């Protein structure tokens, strides 16, 4: 099993509350134009570019990623989680407990961009 997560210290101390999508984004989502654009391979590749093009991800998982992307385009739960990231991080930090099992943490940079805050 693999977990995709971030450091609660980072989200509490440094993460900014995300801004809601602009009018144009909302219009593209509500009219399903954005979903239509995702039929284009270039749009799909562009959406993956900020994640290293998913170079090492098997094709089957790339399909799952595309479905997840389309499902979360306008999802109130995800929007709320992002807005609540600082509050949620505080809850985790206030109740820190060690895991009762061994855990290996794998980390990576963000496409070669150095971020001293994230690497603390």
């Amino acid at each position: 099993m693999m977990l995709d997560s971030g450091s609660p210290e980072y989200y509490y101390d440094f993460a900014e509350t995300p801004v809601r999508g602009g009018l144009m984004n909302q219009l593209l989502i509500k009219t399903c134009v954005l979903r239509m654009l995702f039929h284009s391979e270039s749009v799909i590749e562009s959406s993956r570019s900020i994640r290293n093009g998913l170079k090492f991800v098997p094709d089957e998982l790339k399909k799952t990623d595309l479905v997840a992307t389309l499902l979360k385009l306008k999802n109130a739960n995800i929007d709320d989680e992002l807005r609540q990231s600082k509050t949620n991080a505080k809850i985790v930090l206030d109740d820190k407990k060690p895991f009762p099992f061994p855990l290996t943490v794998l980390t990576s940079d963000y496409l070669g961009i150095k971020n001293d805050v994230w690497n603390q």
Side-chain angles (χ1 to χ4, degrees):
M1 176 167 78
M2 182 167 53
L3 300 174
D4 180 13
S5 67
S7 159
E9 290 86 358
Y10 174 82
Y11 285 102
Y12 183 70
D13 293 330
F14 302 105
E16 296 177 16
T17 302
V19 179
R20 292 191 67 167
L23 179 62
M24 185 54 78
N25 281 345
Q26 296 299 317
L27 183 64
L28 292 173
I29 291 168
K30 295 268 186 201
T31 60
C32 296
V33 169
L34 205 53
R35 287 181 183 268
M36 182 185 70
L37 291 173
F38 269 93
H39 286 280
S40 162
E41 196 62 36
S42 65
V43 172
I44 293 170
E45 290 306 316
S46 175
S47 76
R48 293 175 177 162
S49 66
I50 63 168
R51 296 177 291 152
N52 205 17
L54 301 181
K55 281 197 276 192
F56 303 110
V57 175
D59 288 340
E60 193 59 37
L61 284 179
K62 285 181 182 178
K63 290 178 190 174
T64 302
D65 176 74
L66 178 59
V67 170
T69 298
L70 292 171
L71 287 173
K72 71 177 185 173
L73 284 174
K74 182 63 185 133
N75 181 319
N77 290 335
I78 290 174
D79 289 347
D80 189 50
E81 285 177 19
L82 291 172
R83 279 191 297 278
Q84 295 294 325
S85 62
K86 188 174 193 113
T87 302
N88 292 339
K90 177 78 170 125
I91 291 168
V92 171
L93 291 170
D94 286 346
D95 196 31
K96 272 187 173 181
K97 294 182 182 127
F99 287 114
F101 50 85
L103 179 67
T104 301
V105 178
L106 304 174
T107 62
S108 66
D109 61 16
Y110 186 73
L111 305 179
I113 298 170
K114 187 174 180 175
N115 184 332
D116 292 332
V117 172
W118 184 262
N119 292 329
Q120 289 182 357

